[in-house]
Amino acid sequence: MRLIFLAILLLSGCASASLTVDRPLAAPLREVSLRIEGSDKVNEEQQAHLCTLLTSSLSKTGVAVRPEDSRGITLAGRIERYSPGNQSLRWLFGLFGAGGGAIESTWRVVDSAGKEIGSCRVDGSIHMGPGGGYFDVVLGKVGQRLGEFLSGSK
């Protein structure tokens, strides 16, 4: 029985993301532009990849992402920690905490006049999973939590 539980745990993975709302939105949003502020925690390639995954996750929650240069409401993120970890270590020693990955981020919703109308924090992590787990799963969950925030379901 223990082996079955362990197998289910390993196959389901241990990727998660949590949402903390600092300033709730007055009304749900269905469309935003997305901007990730420059940071020494994430390089340009990682930032572009993150934007792609967040755009996909947000659209699955019903929030459309417009081009950044358009007028309207902007979701502006600051990445405070971006550590994909080591997939091989997670695969081999994930039960012992090795190779874990994490992202810590703060997000502001800003109107076209530049006024902040909402804010939240989303943190995600992965400790193991099939084949060591994929950090992209964590980033997708971050997008899901942001979608919940923007659509008013959290």
Side-chain angles (χ1 to χ4, degrees), residues 20-31:
T20 304
V21 177
D22 298 321
R23 183 175 182 184
L25 296 166
L29 299 174
R30 295 290 169 219
E31 185 177 80

Side-chain angles (χ1 to χ4, degrees), residues 31-51:
E31 185 177 80
V32 296
S33 61
L34 178 62
R35 180 179 73 233
I36 298 177
E37 298 168 354
S39 167
D40 62 342
K41 307 294 183 200
V42 57
N43 64 40
E44 287 182 25
E45 181 181 334
Q46 292 167 328
Q47 186 172 333
H49 185 66
L50 178 58
C51 280

